[in-house]
């Protein structure tokens, strides 16, 4: 079997994801504030989601019960994780925070995002109008500038998929969901998969 045949047997050519992971790890080798990292990482994620031909079907499968998160890669020092976020029609998250920086790139379909801010009395209020992120769009957030939001599939009749990059291993980070009054509940997100896509066949292109 050639390298290409192995890649095809795995469900696609994962070179774009490998390129992204290597590029993002190199960014993190230089210490920089979250805002600068988001700015530098945005074009890398934009390049990854510009083509929708690399995500293996096993990591693109919706669950009719709830939105699904598949881990695609976790940095060996858990500096960042890459997750495919799969929305069945109409699915949405609760209001939640992250506690680390994050980048979201829309690979398929579209998403609707509502940001929230804390009011002086500790409640949450919507910050600005809901945004619609179309295919190919990239958005970033960080705790210092606000990392509380609610995200939904913008479509009621089709699957949407976004690629998320977080500043840590999200299955190891305790964070919170919030009700409309701003009351938090402890929350740790898990990954739906137990095996990872193999990015590492053969030399890097
Ligand atoms: Fe989020």
């Amino acid at each position: 079997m050639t390298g290409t045949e192995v890649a095809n047997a795995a469900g696609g050519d994962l070179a774009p994801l490998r390129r992204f992971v290597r590029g993002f790890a190199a960014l993190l080798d230089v210490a920089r504030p979250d805002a600068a990292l988001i700015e530098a990482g945005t074009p890398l994620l934009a390049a990854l989601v510009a083509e929708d031909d690399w995500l293996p079907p096993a990591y693109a499968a919706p669950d009719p019960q709830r939105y699904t998160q598949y881990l695609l890669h976790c940095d060996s020092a858990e500096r960042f994780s890459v997750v495919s976020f799969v929305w069945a029609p109409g699915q949405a998250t609760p209001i939640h925070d992250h506690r680390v920086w994050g980048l979201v790139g829309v690979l398929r379909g579209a998403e609707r995002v509502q940001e929230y801010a804390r009011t002086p009395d500790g409640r949450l209020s919507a910050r600005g109008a809901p945004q619609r992120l179309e295919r190919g769009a990239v958005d970033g957030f960080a705790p210092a500038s606000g990392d509380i939001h609610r995200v939904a599939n913008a479509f009621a009749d089709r699957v949407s998929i976004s690629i998320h990059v977080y500043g840590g291993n999200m299955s190891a980070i305790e964070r919170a969901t919030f009700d409309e009054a701003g009351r938090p509940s402890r929350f740790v997100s898990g990954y739906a998969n137990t095996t990872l896509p193999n990015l590492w066949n053969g030399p890097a292109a």
Side-chain angles (χ1 to χ4, degrees):
M1 220 180 206
T2 68
T4 303
E5 286 165 344
V6 170
N8 288 340
D13 179 356
L14 289 162
L17 181 56
R18 180 171 175 170
R19 225 169 8 249
F20 174 81
V21 163
R22 289 169 60 96
F24 215 94
L27 278 185
L28 289 167
D29 288 341
V30 178
R32 54 187 113 210
D34 286 356
L37 177 65
I38 288 167
E39 187 179 346
T42 291
L44 300 186
L45 185 56
L48 180 64
V49 300
E51 300 295 337
D52 182 9
D53 59 359
W54 55 267
L55 184 66
Y59 307 98
D63 178 337
Q65 300 305 317
R66 54 163 296 151
Y67 61 89
T68 310
Q69 296 163 85
Y70 298 101
L71 179 67
L72 301 179
H73 176 76
C74 186
D75 176 63
S76 61
E78 299 183 49
R79 298 175 302 170
F80 73 105
S81 53
V82 186
V83 177
S84 74
F85 217 101
V86 181
W87 311 88
Q91 288 179 338
T93 69
I95 302 171
H96 63 277
D97 68 8
H98 304 80
R99 317 274 172 103
V100 292
W101 58 262
L103 280 162
V104 174
V106 180
L107 182 72
R108 203 172 295 174
E111 288 182 3
R112 210 171 47 250
V113 182
Q114 175 64 62
E115 296 182 345
Y116 290 84
R118 284 274 183 203
T119 61
D121 64 0
R123 298 172 69 87
L124 289 178
S125 66
R127 186 169 71 172
Q131 296 177 59
R132 185 179 159 111
L133 297 180
E134 302 291 348
R135 205 193 96 64
V138 174
D139 191 27
F141 53 79
S145 53
D147 71 326
I148 302 176
H149 65 194
R150 182 174 189 272
V151 186
N153 187 346
F155 289 100
D157 60 354
R158 56 186 276 202
V159 169
S160 290
I161 300 177
S162 50
I163 305 300
H164 295 206
V165 190
Y166 299 112
N169 173 6
M170 287 314 269
S171 75
I173 295 173
E174 185 172 321
R175 47 196 180 123
T177 60
F178 302 91
D179 64 18
E180 293 290 340
R183 285 185 293 258
S185 299
R186 181 182 170 276
F187 161 59
V188 178
S189 56
Y191 305 127
N193 50 322
T194 55
T195 58
L196 296 179
N198 182 1
L199 320 182
W200 308 109
N201 269 327

